[in-house]
Amino acid sequence: MVDLLPEQTRRWQAVEAVARDHFRRAGVEEIRTPLLEVTELFARGIGEGTDVVGKEMYSFLDRGERSCTLRPEGTASVVRAAMQHGLLNQGAQKLWYAGPMFRYERPQAGRQRQFHQIGVECLGVSSARSDVEAIALAWDLLAALGVQGLELEINSLGTPEDRQCYRAELVAWLEARRDQLDADSQQRLTTNPLRILDSKNKATQALLADAPTLLEALSPESAQRFAQVQALLHQLGIPFKLNTRLVRGLDYYGHTAFEITSDQLGAQATVCGGGRYDGLVEQLGGPATPAIGWALGMERLLLVLEAAAKADPAGAAAQLTMSAPPEVYVVNRGEAAEAVALSLTRSLRLAGVAVELDGSGAAFGKQFKRADRSGAPWAAVIGDEEAASGVVCLKPLLREGGDQRLPLSDPAAIVTILHSAPKSSLESEEER
Ligand code: ATP
Ligand code: MG
């Protein structure tokens, strides 16, 4: 579990702001659910045979002897909330969430025990088109953030019946080669054989190259649906690759499953994963409700963004990491001046101006150096003389021009001058 210091937090906020605007334009509304749920929700919603439920959950008994779990993912909670508050009776729902998730995994680059996701859940939609709309939401968000070198992989997991047939076929094929499987996969043969396809073990992966695929086992209807998804992706110009081994970690997926990976991330390459989960709402005791969703990992996204910002200092990813300088830096020294500077600072802030007040009491020269470094386009200077005569001296820091002396009694006039300044240090660099 890691701390996010101000510099990183700034980047996170920038990503969140882009996401929020992206979802607003797409008519996707934010939902916020508790971090803590009854364990039962995840056991039923994610599946007992999964790694997440089997060995990654932070579960404990609360003081009322109830088993509680820190949420390991967002979908089950969103579905619970939608059921509990009757959202499912109000037509299709497009919801997004962002926040921390908890999984007891081995920490490594791109893998933490508290990590963060941004996710989307579209409830009550069943068409192939809705799959593609959801995928495009993820793809376009990543593009808007300036992430490059992404690859979209898709697969179809078909219907539960398709998977039942395939499961039998796969198990038979693997049973005959049991001794070539890693220990984990041998165990999954009985608990969750489809997950073997997702094994990270090299030898197992090599063996699986010749295994029967789920795609070949799809019913004609499922195959046709999948063809439609692909045609629509083509129509939108979103490139993709078929990955017949993509099964996703959670049990409730069917039909379209997808992942978006980056070549920048090494072993933890998946930035975003999602798919259709038509069975989940019913599994959790709600009315049969088709649904599709995805979640992207913030930590991995930030790793990719940092790489993109380094590679292209003028690109969208680099813009995200820039901090906004204050609009004015207040340089002040002397007992009377410091008191006046505090009240000027406050009235400018109340008027909507971003103000940095130098609180050091240091020599003017030192304060001016800090003012320059802050990137503020203006310094507001108050010394004993200004304090005594009730004025402030506004000094442009980023462009040529004389000082302006204005009465402290007229903050509106001060604001007008400040807002006539170039917006950022970058702009004025360009002007020069
Ligand atoms: P992985 O195979 O990498 O463990 P997953 O299939 O368990 O991923 P999902 O449950 O689909 O992951 O979660 C969606 C996204 O959340 C992942 O693609 C990844 O970006 C991110 N994510 C999942 N687990 C972690 C973690 N422990 N630390 C950081 N990010 C994570
Ligand atoms: Mg995992």
Side-chain angles (χ1 to χ4, degrees):
M1 300 186 182
V2 305
D3 299 309
L4 291 175
L5 300 179
E7 194 191 329
Q8 295 157 298
T9 305
R10 222 157 49 213
R11 242 171 267 156
W12 281 59
Q13 286 178 334
V15 170
E16 287 157 5
V18 170
R20 188 162 282 123
D21 189 54
H22 181 71
F23 292 135
R24 180 189 58 74
R25 279 178 282 123
V28 185
E29 299 225 67
E30 186 178 3
I31 183 166
R32 302 187 186 196
T33 64
L35 301 193
L36 205 61
E37 299 272 0
V38 294
T39 302
E40 166 83 356
L41 174 68
F42 303 115
R44 276 175 59 187
I46 300 176
E48 302 274 5
T50 61
D51 282 354
V52 172
V53 173
K55 48 190 184 192
E56 295 174 359
M57 292 206 302
Y58 279 89
S59 301
F60 61 94
L61 288 182
D62 73 2
R63 288 173 190 279
E65 302 285 305
R66 288 163 296 222
S67 180
C68 301
T69 295
L70 285 170
R71 66 181 186 190
E73 53 102 58
T75 306
S77 305
V78 169
V79 168
R80 177 204 49 72
M83 280 163 50
Q84 190 172 328
H85 302 287
L87 299 187
L88 298 177
N89 311 324
Q90 299 170 28
Q93 299 286 318
K94 289 199 281 183
L95 304 167
W96 73 276
Y97 60 84
M101 307 292 162
F102 304 83
R103 296 184 194 176
Y104 194 81
E105 300 196 75
R106 192 167 70 78
Q108 49 199 296
R111 193 176 293 285
Q112 293 170 193
R113 289 180 173 172
Q114 176 176 331
F115 63 102
H116 298 75
Q117 291 182 334
I118 294 181
V120 164
E121 313 295 350
C122 306
L123 308 174
V125 293
S126 63
S127 65
R129 194 174 67 158
S130 66
D131 295 11
V132 176
E133 186 185 1
I135 293 173
L137 270 177
W139 186 259
D140 294 341
L141 172 59
L142 291 165
L145 289 166
V147 187
Q148 275 152 15
L150 293 178
E151 195 158 78
L152 168 65
E153 297 184 0
I154 61 170
N155 192 19
S156 173
L157 307 180
T159 61
E161 296 75 39
D162 295 342
R163 281 195 300 287
Q164 208 57 49
C165 294
Y166 174 65
R167 186 186 156 119
E169 199 183 334
L170 180 70
V171 168
W173 192 89
L174 289 171
E175 280 292 0
R177 295 159 182 82
R178 176 181 261 279
D179 52 332
Q180 298 174 55
L181 290 173
D182 61 281
D184 248 4
S185 297
Q186 287 185 356
Q187 199 176 355
R188 287 197 177 124
L189 258 182
T190 43
T191 55
N192 197 348
L194 259 57
R195 281 287 277 155
I196 297 174
L197 298 176
D198 200 29
S199 167
K200 309 235 150 72
N201 183 287
K202 287 260 166 1
T204 301
Q205 270 181 19
L207 178 71
L208 286 167
D210 304 319
T213 71
L214 192 55
L215 269 189
E216 296 155 349
L218 290 183
S219 66
E221 295 76 31
S222 298
Q224 204 216 330
R225 188 182 190 289
F226 192 42
Q228 219 177 332
V229 167
Q230 295 176 58
L232 289 168
L233 283 170
H234 272 306
Q235 186 187 310
L236 296 191
I238 298 178
F240 62 89
K241 216 175 80 182
L242 289 187
N243 177 353
T244 55
R245 298 216 215 124
L246 197 162
V247 286
R248 318 259 327 115
L250 316 180
D251 273 351
Y252 48 66
Y253 287 97
H255 289 301
T256 308
F258 70 96
E259 290 190 352
I260 300 175
T261 58
S262 163
D263 51 10
Q264 304 282 321
L265 284 173
Q268 270 62 246
T270 307
V271 181
C272 177
R276 178 159 283 285
Y277 52 91
D278 292 346
L280 179 65
V281 180
E282 235 179 335
Q283 171 119 357
L284 291 176
T289 307
I292 180 161
W294 52 259
L296 67 77
M298 279 292 278
E299 283 78 8
R300 293 185 199 174
L301 172 59
L302 267 291
L303 288 173
V304 179
L305 281 175
E306 278 159 33
K310 270 209 193 98
D312 179 10
Q319 303 282 321
L320 285 176
T321 66
M322 270 178 350
S323 68
E327 292 167 278
V328 55
Y329 191 98
V330 179
V331 171
N332 60 114
R333 184 170 157 85
E335 203 178 306
E338 286 172 13
V340 169
L342 176 63
S343 75
L344 172 68
T345 297
R346 178 169 180 244
S347 46
L348 291 179
R349 284 178 183 160
L350 289 173
V353 181
V355 188
E356 178 83 40
L357 171 65
D358 193 306
S360 68
F364 278 113
K366 278 198 174 158
Q367 292 196 38
F368 272 113
K369 274 206 186 104
R370 275 199 286 268
D372 281 330
R373 242 181 290 137
S374 78
W378 290 99
V381 188
I382 303 179
D384 286 334
E385 190 212 321
E386 283 82 9
S389 47
V391 297
V392 58
C393 172
L394 297 181
K395 219 182 202 355
L397 296 176
L398 299 173
R399 58 173 185 194
E400 300 302 315
D403 300 353
Q404 307 197 39
R405 294 175 76 81
L406 287 129
L408 285 163
S409 57
D410 190 1
I414 300 173
V415 172
T416 305
I417 301 284
L418 294 176
H419 281 167
S420 69
K423 283 250 161 16
S424 71
S425 55
L426 203 78
E427 264 174 36
S428 77
E429 292 289 341
E430 280 164 10
E431 278 166 21
R432 275 185 218 162

